[in-house]
Amino acid sequence: MNIAFFLIPKHEVVCLTSQSTLRQALERMEFHRYTAVPVLSEEGHYIGTITEGDLLWFFKNSTDVTFENAHRHHLSAVPMRMQNKPVYIDANMTDLISKATVQNFVPVIDDRDQFIGIVPRSAIIEYCSRQLFNASAASTQSR
């Protein structure tokens, strides 16, 4: 199975850049109801994943950052604690599944290290569930 089967392409993924402001990050995450989103460089390279927790800890530990001035601070200043490791588009399913066990989504990059989308863990689980159901149904029919 090719992991491209599970891919949500970049143009459908909510992403931020390292130059996005804290306010933009908060607003996009709230609007889409996401707890984590990929962060890209201006050139389109995957940098990491920003989470609600990263933002909350940054606000808590920064005396000069408030919700009122969040539009003046960039994501590049926020430490990202979640290390969502990307896979290449030609990665095998074993690599994809091993990363999905500890990440809500797996970022996917091409051979030029350009971010091309994500594979959500839920898509992998749904696929595996269907395979198990189909195998179980086939086993029951052969009896």
Side-chain angles (χ1 to χ4, degrees):
M1 169 72 46
N2 186 324
I3 69 170
F5 175 78
F6 302 105
L7 185 73
I8 296 175
K10 178 181 177 178
H11 70 273
E12 294 178 21
V13 176
V14 174
C15 297
L16 297 163
T17 69
S18 59
Q19 293 306 303
S20 297
T21 66
L22 298 181
R23 177 180 213 98
Q24 289 169 323
L26 290 167
E27 288 173 350
R28 291 191 93 180
M29 291 171 86
E30 178 183 27
F31 179 81
H32 294 283
R33 305 185 91 188
Y34 291 150
T35 59
V37 294
V39 178
L40 310 179
S41 70
E42 297 296 324
E43 297 79 30
H45 297 270
Y46 173 73
I47 294 173
T49 297
I50 193 82
T51 67
E52 287 177 327
D54 295 334
L55 296 171
L56 289 171
W57 282 110
F58 187 72
F59 276 103
K60 179 187 177 292
N61 295 323
S62 301
T63 56
D64 63 328
V65 179
T66 65
F67 286 112
E68 289 76 28
N69 69 13
H71 64 284
R72 294 189 189 124
H73 300 276
H74 297 274
L75 286 183
S76 58
V78 179
M80 289 182 262
R81 289 176 173 79
M82 181 180 287
Q83 298 298 317
N84 275 13
K85 301 292 184 194
V87 295
Y88 286 99
I89 188 64
D90 60 354
N92 62 44
M93 286 298 292
T94 304
D95 290 340
L96 181 66
I97 291 171
S98 70
K99 287 187 175 46
T101 61
V102 295
Q103 302 175 186
N104 285 337
F105 62 85
V106 180
V108 181
I109 57 178
D110 66 13
D111 59 350
R112 297 174 301 137
D113 292 331
Q114 292 287 308
F115 177 80
I116 59 173
I118 63 169
V119 174
R121 178 171 43 197
S122 60
I124 298 166
I125 292 170
E126 288 171 12
Y127 173 79
C128 291
S129 176
R130 283 193 306 272
Q131 296 303 312
L132 287 171
F133 177 77
N134 292 340
S136 177
S139 174
T140 302
Q141 288 178 352
S142 68
R143 291 185 186 166

